[in-house]
Amino acid sequence: MTRAWLDPDVAGVLCARGGYGSLRAVDLVDWAAVGAHRKVFAGSSDITALHTRFHAAGHATWFGPMIGTRAFVEDTAAREHLRRALFTGVTGWRGTGRTPGVARGAAFGGNLSLLFDTPPPAGAVVLLEDVDEEPYRLDRMLTGMRRTGWFDDVAALVLGSWTGCGNAAPVLADRLGDLGVPVVADVPFGHCAGQLTLPLGVSVEVDGDTGVVTVVP
């Protein structure tokens, strides 16, 4: 990835697959060199590990579909969402308001199972989704994160898809609903049909009453 990022003829890096092994790859990237250049970076799933490092380096990135998968090739809506994000931009998105209130912060997050040991910056708006994790495993991760203070300084939460996670809603409500911050759920990002491409590392405003998330210029 470092070679592609530093190539002057490359405008951006779009991750083809979810990226099993991304946690190991993080240690192989020359982040000092990468941090000196601003380019497009997009990916999701295990690519979350790279998003968090880009965030630490001050880069905005895109949490979007994996372009080398059949799910992307056969999903017209997901392809269009990615195209619009890269060439037009994103002004906001809508979900379901779960916990009231309004808050602003830098968007941070991605795949829950890749984030449990990477606390967000203070005041962040955290985006979470996952795939093929049973509710008891989500409970285990979220409870462990609560105990380590992972959520102590977040400004708001935005919850995406939980495909293959059974009935995740009760666990999410129990583990996240009493944090005292606005929560918007049911936003179609992550491992789902028609997934949105959402920006990370930019300021957003979360309205837990209306379920609207707005990118702050």
Side-chain angles (χ1 to χ4, degrees):
M1 195 198 82
T2 302
R3 188 186 311 115
W5 198 264
L6 299 181
D7 187 332
D9 294 326
V10 174
V13 174
L14 307 183
C15 297
R17 301 299 297 263
Y20 168 73
S22 293
L23 278 173
R24 298 188 183 195
V26 164
D27 300 324
L28 303 176
V29 175
D30 184 344
W31 290 104
V34 167
H37 300 271
R38 292 291 186 269
K39 296 187 178 184
V40 171
F41 181 80
S44 59
S45 197
D46 280 39
I47 299 301
T48 296
L50 296 172
H51 282 296
T52 60
R53 290 302 298 266
F54 273 112
H55 191 110
H59 282 269
T61 58
W62 292 102
F63 193 82
M66 300 166 281
I67 63 172
T69 64
R70 177 178 295 180
F72 175 74
V73 172
E74 298 178 351
D75 191 334
T76 303
R79 297 201 309 272
E80 178 61 15
H81 291 319
L82 177 61
R83 187 195 68 79
R84 289 182 181 177
L86 297 182
F87 292 99
T88 305
V90 173
T91 59
W93 55 92
R94 179 181 294 273
T96 303
R98 295 297 188 197
T99 305
V102 177
R104 288 188 177 188
F108 172 92
N111 189 264
L112 171 63
S113 58
L114 271 292
L115 289 168
F116 68 94
D117 62 349
T118 306
V125 169
V126 173
L127 283 65
L128 296 175
E129 62 87 28
D130 218 317
V131 63
D132 294 337
E133 297 285 357
E134 292 292 333
Y136 78 89
R137 290 178 59 83
L138 297 177
D139 191 318
R140 180 186 298 161
M141 286 186 277
L142 293 171
T143 298
M145 292 161 77
R146 287 176 62 114
R147 288 177 175 169
T148 61
W150 200 98
F151 294 102
D152 286 358
D153 295 319
V154 304
L157 296 171
V158 179
L159 307 180
S161 63
W162 304 91
T163 303
C165 295
N167 185 12
V171 170
L172 297 173
D174 180 74
R175 296 288 74 197
L176 302 175
D178 65 348
L179 295 176
V181 300
V183 178
V184 171
D186 304 324
V187 177
F189 73 89
H191 296 75
C192 61
Q195 71 180 103
L196 299 177
T197 297
L198 303 183
L200 299 175
V202 303
S203 182
V204 298
E205 180 177 275
V206 178
D207 190 326
D209 297 284
T210 64
V212 173
V213 183
T214 306
V215 176
V216 179

